[in-house]
Amino acid sequence: MSDDGSNGASIIGPEGRPITEEDLPPPNTKRWVMRRKAEVVAGVRSGLISLEEACRRYTLSVEEFLSWQRLIDSHGVRGLRATRLQDYRNGQPVARPRVMSGAAE
């Protein structure tokens, strides 16, 4: 163990560089960009952090984490884009409702 209590282990992250537990997103993360989601998935897959710890630390449900993992497996890191999530969720493109300006009838 290192002086800060971590085990000092590192893995190769989604951007191809080594990351440690200290490089994972902070627990108070509010804006989940593709890279941060992919780092958490890589950390869990490699054993850097447990699934239970990741869910607790980031206030995620197991289902949400598993959906990130499935999207990476099916579509790569780009599948984690929030704007594309609905398109990938059912495996088919989804028609988005058009936003109409003006008063509702």
Side-chain angles (χ1 to χ4, degrees):
M1 289 234 173
S2 65
D3 293 340
D4 64 3
S6 69
N7 64 12
S10 70
I11 60 158
I12 300 301
E15 294 182 335
R17 62 178 178 76
I19 62 171
T20 65
E21 189 172 348
E22 291 76 34
D23 296 314
L24 293 174
N28 61 347
T29 297
K30 299 289 184 241
R31 187 165 180 262
W32 283 100
V33 296
M34 294 182 300
R35 177 185 50 81
R36 290 181 184 146
K37 292 176 185 179
E39 287 171 346
V40 173
V41 171
V44 171
R45 284 185 164 169
S46 68
L48 195 62
I49 184 174
S50 71
L51 173 59
E52 295 78 15
E53 174 62 15
C55 289
R56 185 196 62 74
R57 182 183 294 187
Y58 301 115
T59 319
L60 301 172
S61 68
V62 171
E63 292 79 14
E64 184 171 18
F65 173 84
L66 293 175
S67 75
W68 293 356
Q69 192 168 263
R70 278 191 304 272
L71 286 167
I72 289 172
D73 291 345
S74 299
H75 306 287
V77 173
R78 291 185 57 93
L80 294 170
R81 287 183 62 181
T83 56
R84 304 302 297 176
L85 185 60
Q86 194 62 39
D87 291 349
Y88 296 135
R89 198 160 270 172
N90 297 320
Q92 299 179 26
V94 175
R96 290 199 174 94
R98 295 178 188 215
V99 176
M100 304 296 283
S101 60
E105 294 182 32

